[in-house]
Amino acid sequence: MGWLRLFFLHPVSLYQGSAFPFALLFNYLCRMDSFSTRARHLFLLAGGGALALAAMGSFAVLVFIPALGTVVLICSLGPQEVHRWTFFFQMSWQTLCHLGLHYTEYYLQEPPSMRFCITLSSLMLLTQRVTSLSLDICEGKVEAASQDIRSRISLSEHLCKALPYFSYLLFFPGLLGGPLCSFQRFQARVQGSSSLCPRFSFWAFTWKGLQILGLECLTVVMRRVVSAGVGLSDCHQLQCIYVMWSTAGLFKLTYYSHWLLDDSLLCAAGFGPEFGESPGEEGYLPDADIWMLETTHRISLFTRKWNQSTARWLRRLIFQQGRAWPLLQTFAFSAWWHGLHPGQVFGFLCWAVMVKADYLIHTSAKLFIRSWLMWLLYRTLTWAHTQLIIAYIMLAVEGRSLCSLWLLCNSYSSVFPVVYCILLFLLAKRKHKVN
């Protein structure tokens, strides 16, 4: 099952690549005074509709319907009600679509359509934009159009007021990937003066292109290594650890390449960090911080840096709202958002436990480790342990099915999370006694 998720990213990358000329065209047109704000919204919306139809085919309607429903709710409800209802509507719709995937994979025992997988991925990104927008409205950061929806104005005026929301939810640079772009940043870019439009940087895009090319070459090499070896079903003892590490490495390289491409597309359209920030808005956050992800010895830091914009969105949506067990709530919601496959439920709950253990382990280490030699040894061991635990979690989440999860749990790879679980129990017990 994990291979399906891995390879569906490549068709998405092809569609993202085909959108580059239109992103550059949009950036160019924005420098013209004659290219009005309404024309910009329509360009982004039309591009999103065309890209959705090209990538998803008839399944695109599964993205159009919740986008329409969200706009209707935003224009019909008060600021304090809009988040609760849009969240319920969007997550219910996404869950129904994920249940369709469950039915195809587990009941019919058939591989799902590639277009349907792309649609589900786009729906997950749409959920981010919907909930981000509804939270902004609820917190007063964005003024909703609801106050005029019941007044006696024409249909065309209603549509004009709703156009920015439609455009934001379906704009083509963020439809299939990319860091989460807030509605404030989106509006600032679309409504910005032509003289303030960011310029195209040839060298910056060349550097990103070289990075993507290098990652793709590494991916090809890694795929051959993984394909030439045995899988979890055929490995024995310590060999299973190597299989886990190499397979997770292939997953990570694929995600890094995909995230860099998504980031480049947003920057090409002018939604990147060079555009600046609106007052009160969080800064632009790319998804990939490869150096930090590959060198950190802390699971908690890896968690914050992995898919950074999504991590920040989850922190705002769930963690900061949760009163009891916010960490567990955040990872449980992440499993729900990803589709509630058995491997995902196990993987994300395991991840939550590992983060909790990470906090206690490193807090205790700071109290007991004094010499620099011991600290160096400690960092080296915890780095290796962190990377292996992340690989374990990644295989559980990407494998998804009970069969893959069973193979993973019965392998020698399970030693690494078990060690952290034991340390969590011992350190939590010691902390309780001290308190």
Side-chain angles (χ1 to χ4, degrees), residues 296-305 351 354-356 358-359 362 386:
T296 182
H297 69 296
R298 298 204 57 172
I299 295 175
S300 55
L301 181 58
F302 184 99
T303 303
R304 291 193 295 272
K305 293 298 182 179
W351 200 340
M354 295 300 103
V355 170
K356 187 66 177 177
D358 179 83
Y359 284 129
H362 292 286
T386 293

PDB file of all heavy atoms in Angstrom, residues 296-305 351 354-356 358-359 362 386:
ATOM      1  N   THR A 296      18.941  16.280  13.109  1.00  0.00           N
ATOM      2  CA  THR A 296      18.471  16.436  14.487  1.00  0.00           C
ATOM      3  C   THR A 296      18.513  15.120  15.257  1.00  0.00           C
ATOM      4  O   THR A 296      18.319  14.043  14.692  1.00  0.00           O
ATOM      5  CB  THR A 296      17.029  16.995  14.503  1.00  0.00           C
ATOM      6  OG1 THR A 296      16.628  17.179  15.873  1.00  0.00           O
ATOM      7  CG2 THR A 296      16.050  16.020  13.852  1.00  0.00           C
ATOM      8  N   HIS A 297      18.780  15.238  16.569  1.00  0.00           N
ATOM      9  CA  HIS A 297      18.791  14.051  17.436  1.00  0.00           C
ATOM     10  C   HIS A 297      17.553  14.038  18.331  1.00  0.00           C
ATOM     11  O   HIS A 297      17.475  13.232  19.251  1.00  0.00           O
ATOM     12  CB  HIS A 297      20.064  14.030  18.286  1.00  0.00           C
ATOM     13  CG  HIS A 297      20.113  15.104  19.335  1.00  0.00           C
ATOM     14  ND1 HIS A 297      20.153  16.443  19.024  1.00  0.00           N
ATOM     15  CD2 HIS A 297      20.106  15.041  20.702  1.00  0.00           C
ATOM     16  CE1 HIS A 297      20.185  17.149  20.135  1.00  0.00           C
ATOM     17  NE2 HIS A 297      20.148  16.327  21.175  1.00  0.00           N
ATOM     18  N   ARG A 298      16.584  14.925  18.034  1.00  0.00           N
ATOM     19  CA  ARG A 298      15.382  15.012  18.852  1.00  0.00           C
ATOM     20  C   ARG A 298      14.136  14.740  18.006  1.00  0.00           C
ATOM     21  O   ARG A 298      13.931  15.372  16.963  1.00  0.00           O
ATOM     22  CB  ARG A 298      15.259  16.394  19.487  1.00  0.00           C
ATOM     23  CG  ARG A 298      16.413  16.723  20.424  1.00  0.00           C
ATOM     24  CD  ARG A 298      16.007  17.762  21.442  1.00  0.00           C
ATOM     25  NE  ARG A 298      14.835  17.337  22.215  1.00  0.00           N
ATOM     26  CZ  ARG A 298      14.380  18.002  23.262  1.00  0.00           C
ATOM     27  NH1 ARG A 298      15.005  19.094  23.678  1.00  0.00           N
ATOM     28  NH2 ARG A 298      13.317  17.576  23.916  1.00  0.00           N
ATOM     29  N   ILE A 299      13.313  13.803  18.448  1.00  0.00           N
ATOM     30  CA  ILE A 299      12.083  13.464  17.733  1.00  0.00           C
ATOM     31  C   ILE A 299      11.119  14.645  17.753  1.00  0.00           C
ATOM     32  O   ILE A 299      10.412  14.898  16.765  1.00  0.00           O
ATOM     33  CB  ILE A 299      11.432  12.210  18.344  1.00  0.00           C
ATOM     34  CG1 ILE A 299      12.333  10.995  18.139  1.00  0.00           C
ATOM     35  CG2 ILE A 299      10.054  11.945  17.749  1.00  0.00           C
ATOM     36  CD1 ILE A 299      11.844   9.734  18.802  1.00  0.00           C
ATOM     37  N   SER A 300      11.079  15.372  18.865  1.00  0.00           N
ATOM     38  CA  SER A 300      10.170  16.513  18.961  1.00  0.00           C
ATOM     39  C   SER A 300      10.520  17.594  17.935  1.00  0.00           C
ATOM     40  O   SER A 300       9.632  18.197  17.314  1.00  0.00           O
ATOM     41  CB  SER A 300      10.206  17.108  20.371  1.00  0.00           C
ATOM     42  OG  SER A 300      11.534  17.433  20.743  1.00  0.00           O
ATOM     43  N   LEU A 301      11.810  17.839  17.726  1.00  0.00           N
ATOM     44  CA  LEU A 301      12.230  18.828  16.734  1.00  0.00           C
ATOM     45  C   LEU A 301      11.942  18.322  15.320  1.00  0.00           C
ATOM     46  O   LEU A 301      11.487  19.088  14.459  1.00  0.00           O
ATOM     47  CB  LEU A 301      13.721  19.139  16.889  1.00  0.00           C
ATOM     48  CG  LEU A 301      14.292  20.185  15.931  1.00  0.00           C
ATOM     49  CD1 LEU A 301      13.543  21.509  16.065  1.00  0.00           C
ATOM     50  CD2 LEU A 301      15.782  20.392  16.186  1.00  0.00           C
ATOM     51  N   PHE A 302      12.189  17.054  15.072  1.00  0.00           N
ATOM     52  CA  PHE A 302      11.856  16.468  13.775  1.00  0.00           C
ATOM     53  C   PHE A 302      10.365  16.641  13.498  1.00  0.00           C
ATOM     54  O   PHE A 302       9.965  16.976  12.372  1.00  0.00           O
ATOM     55  CB  PHE A 302      12.220  14.984  13.762  1.00  0.00           C
ATOM     56  CG  PHE A 302      11.995  14.310  12.427  1.00  0.00           C
ATOM     57  CD1 PHE A 302      13.044  14.113  11.551  1.00  0.00           C
ATOM     58  CD2 PHE A 302      10.726  13.882  12.047  1.00  0.00           C
ATOM     59  CE1 PHE A 302      12.845  13.498  10.310  1.00  0.00           C
ATOM     60  CE2 PHE A 302      10.512  13.272  10.820  1.00  0.00           C
ATOM     61  CZ  PHE A 302      11.576  13.084   9.948  1.00  0.00           C
ATOM     62  N   THR A 303       9.528  16.450  14.517  1.00  0.00           N
ATOM     63  CA  THR A 303       8.082  16.561  14.358  1.00  0.00           C
ATOM     64  C   THR A 303       7.681  17.970  13.958  1.00  0.00           C
ATOM     65  O   THR A 303       6.796  18.155  13.107  1.00  0.00           O
ATOM     66  CB  THR A 303       7.380  16.171  15.675  1.00  0.00           C
ATOM     67  OG1 THR A 303       7.788  14.849  16.040  1.00  0.00           O
ATOM     68  CG2 THR A 303       5.873  16.209  15.534  1.00  0.00           C
ATOM     69  N   ARG A 304       8.321  18.975  14.543  1.00  0.00           N
ATOM     70  CA  ARG A 304       7.996  20.367  14.206  1.00  0.00           C
ATOM     71  C   ARG A 304       8.496  20.748  12.818  1.00  0.00           C
ATOM     72  O   ARG A 304       7.921  21.627  12.167  1.00  0.00           O
ATOM     73  CB  ARG A 304       8.590  21.318  15.245  1.00  0.00           C
ATOM     74  CG  ARG A 304       7.928  21.223  16.608  1.00  0.00           C
ATOM     75  CD  ARG A 304       8.330  22.401  17.499  1.00  0.00           C
ATOM     76  NE  ARG A 304       9.754  22.393  17.809  1.00  0.00           N
ATOM     77  CZ  ARG A 304      10.297  21.757  18.828  1.00  0.00           C
ATOM     78  NH1 ARG A 304       9.534  21.064  19.659  1.00  0.00           N
ATOM     79  NH2 ARG A 304      11.602  21.816  19.064  1.00  0.00           N
ATOM     80  N   LYS A 305       9.584  20.110  12.359  1.00  0.00           N
ATOM     81  CA  LYS A 305      10.178  20.490  11.079  1.00  0.00           C
ATOM     82  C   LYS A 305       9.677  19.647   9.905  1.00  0.00           C
ATOM     83  O   LYS A 305       9.865  20.033   8.758  1.00  0.00           O
ATOM     84  CB  LYS A 305      11.711  20.361  11.172  1.00  0.00           C
ATOM     85  CG  LYS A 305      12.362  21.350  12.120  1.00  0.00           C
ATOM     86  CD  LYS A 305      12.139  22.780  11.684  1.00  0.00           C
ATOM     87  CE  LYS A 305      12.820  23.778  12.584  1.00  0.00           C
ATOM     88  NZ  LYS A 305      12.612  25.170  12.126  1.00  0.00           N
ATOM     89  N   TRP A 351       3.852   7.843  17.380  1.00  0.00           N
ATOM     90  CA  TRP A 351       4.600   9.094  17.242  1.00  0.00           C
ATOM     91  C   TRP A 351       4.356   9.992  18.459  1.00  0.00           C
ATOM     92  O   TRP A 351       5.289  10.597  19.006  1.00  0.00           O
ATOM     93  CB  TRP A 351       4.164   9.809  15.957  1.00  0.00           C
ATOM     94  CG  TRP A 351       5.132  10.822  15.443  1.00  0.00           C
ATOM     95  CD1 TRP A 351       6.137  11.441  16.132  1.00  0.00           C
ATOM     96  CD2 TRP A 351       5.196  11.324  14.104  1.00  0.00           C
ATOM     97  NE1 TRP A 351       6.816  12.317  15.319  1.00  0.00           N
ATOM     98  CE2 TRP A 351       6.255  12.264  14.071  1.00  0.00           C
ATOM     99  CE3 TRP A 351       4.458  11.092  12.947  1.00  0.00           C
ATOM    100  CZ2 TRP A 351       6.581  12.974  12.911  1.00  0.00           C
ATOM    101  CZ3 TRP A 351       4.785  11.792  11.782  1.00  0.00           C
ATOM    102  CH2 TRP A 351       5.843  12.713  11.769  1.00  0.00           C
ATOM    103  N   MET A 354       6.324   8.684  21.336  1.00  0.00           N
ATOM    104  CA  MET A 354       7.746   8.933  21.135  1.00  0.00           C
ATOM    105  C   MET A 354       8.117  10.395  21.422  1.00  0.00           C
ATOM    106  O   MET A 354       9.186  10.679  21.975  1.00  0.00           O
ATOM    107  CB  MET A 354       8.158   8.576  19.697  1.00  0.00           C
ATOM    108  CG  MET A 354       8.027   7.099  19.346  1.00  0.00           C
ATOM    109  SD  MET A 354       9.032   5.994  20.374  1.00  0.00           S
ATOM    110  CE  MET A 354       7.778   5.336  21.472  1.00  0.00           C
ATOM    111  N   VAL A 355       7.247  11.328  21.054  1.00  0.00           N
ATOM    112  CA  VAL A 355       7.506  12.745  21.333  1.00  0.00           C
ATOM    113  C   VAL A 355       7.506  12.991  22.838  1.00  0.00           C
ATOM    114  O   VAL A 355       8.361  13.704  23.369  1.00  0.00           O
ATOM    115  CB  VAL A 355       6.458  13.641  20.635  1.00  0.00           C
ATOM    116  CG1 VAL A 355       6.566  15.082  21.119  1.00  0.00           C
ATOM    117  CG2 VAL A 355       6.644  13.595  19.124  1.00  0.00           C
ATOM    118  N   LYS A 356       6.537  12.382  23.526  1.00  0.00           N
ATOM    119  CA  LYS A 356       6.471  12.525  24.985  1.00  0.00           C
ATOM    120  C   LYS A 356       7.728  11.944  25.644  1.00  0.00           C
ATOM    121  O   LYS A 356       8.312  12.564  26.552  1.00  0.00           O
ATOM    122  CB  LYS A 356       5.229  11.800  25.516  1.00  0.00           C
ATOM    123  CG  LYS A 356       4.961  12.006  26.989  1.00  0.00           C
ATOM    124  CD  LYS A 356       4.604  13.447  27.291  1.00  0.00           C
ATOM    125  CE  LYS A 356       4.260  13.629  28.762  1.00  0.00           C
ATOM    126  NZ  LYS A 356       3.975  15.052  29.077  1.00  0.00           N
ATOM    127  N   ASP A 358      10.612  11.634  24.215  1.00  0.00           N
ATOM    128  CA  ASP A 358      11.731  12.491  23.805  1.00  0.00           C
ATOM    129  C   ASP A 358      11.912  13.657  24.770  1.00  0.00           C
ATOM    130  O   ASP A 358      13.037  13.984  25.166  1.00  0.00           O
ATOM    131  CB  ASP A 358      11.471  12.993  22.383  1.00  0.00           C
ATOM    132  CG  ASP A 358      12.558  13.911  21.872  1.00  0.00           C
ATOM    133  OD1 ASP A 358      13.582  13.415  21.395  1.00  0.00           O
ATOM    134  OD2 ASP A 358      12.379  15.148  21.959  1.00  0.00           O
ATOM    135  N   TYR A 359      10.819  14.283  25.155  1.00  0.00           N
ATOM    136  CA  TYR A 359      10.900  15.403  26.092  1.00  0.00           C
ATOM    137  C   TYR A 359      11.531  14.976  27.420  1.00  0.00           C
ATOM    138  O   TYR A 359      12.428  15.654  27.940  1.00  0.00           O
ATOM    139  CB  TYR A 359       9.499  15.983  26.355  1.00  0.00           C
ATOM    140  CG  TYR A 359       8.948  16.831  25.230  1.00  0.00           C
ATOM    141  CD1 TYR A 359       7.679  16.598  24.711  1.00  0.00           C
ATOM    142  CD2 TYR A 359       9.687  17.888  24.703  1.00  0.00           C
ATOM    143  CE1 TYR A 359       7.168  17.369  23.684  1.00  0.00           C
ATOM    144  CE2 TYR A 359       9.189  18.664  23.670  1.00  0.00           C
ATOM    145  CZ  TYR A 359       7.925  18.409  23.164  1.00  0.00           C
ATOM    146  OH  TYR A 359       7.419  19.182  22.143  1.00  0.00           O
ATOM    147  N   HIS A 362      15.465  13.863  27.030  1.00  0.00           N
ATOM    148  CA  HIS A 362      16.432  14.944  26.836  1.00  0.00           C
ATOM    149  C   HIS A 362      16.470  15.898  28.021  1.00  0.00           C
ATOM    150  O   HIS A 362      17.516  16.494  28.308  1.00  0.00           O
ATOM    151  CB  HIS A 362      16.124  15.689  25.535  1.00  0.00           C
ATOM    152  CG  HIS A 362      16.376  14.875  24.314  1.00  0.00           C
ATOM    153  ND1 HIS A 362      17.646  14.612  23.856  1.00  0.00           N
ATOM    154  CD2 HIS A 362      15.539  14.237  23.462  1.00  0.00           C
ATOM    155  CE1 HIS A 362      17.583  13.849  22.767  1.00  0.00           C
ATOM    156  NE2 HIS A 362      16.306  13.607  22.511  1.00  0.00           N
ATOM    157  N   THR A 386      16.751   8.330  16.830  1.00  0.00           N
ATOM    158  CA  THR A 386      15.682   9.184  16.283  1.00  0.00           C
ATOM    159  C   THR A 386      15.383   8.833  14.844  1.00  0.00           C
ATOM    160  O   THR A 386      14.217   8.678  14.449  1.00  0.00           O
ATOM    161  CB  THR A 386      16.090  10.672  16.394  1.00  0.00           C
ATOM    162  OG1 THR A 386      16.154  11.039  17.766  1.00  0.00           O
ATOM    163  CG2 THR A 386      15.086  11.565  15.680  1.00  0.00           C
TER     164      THR A 386
END
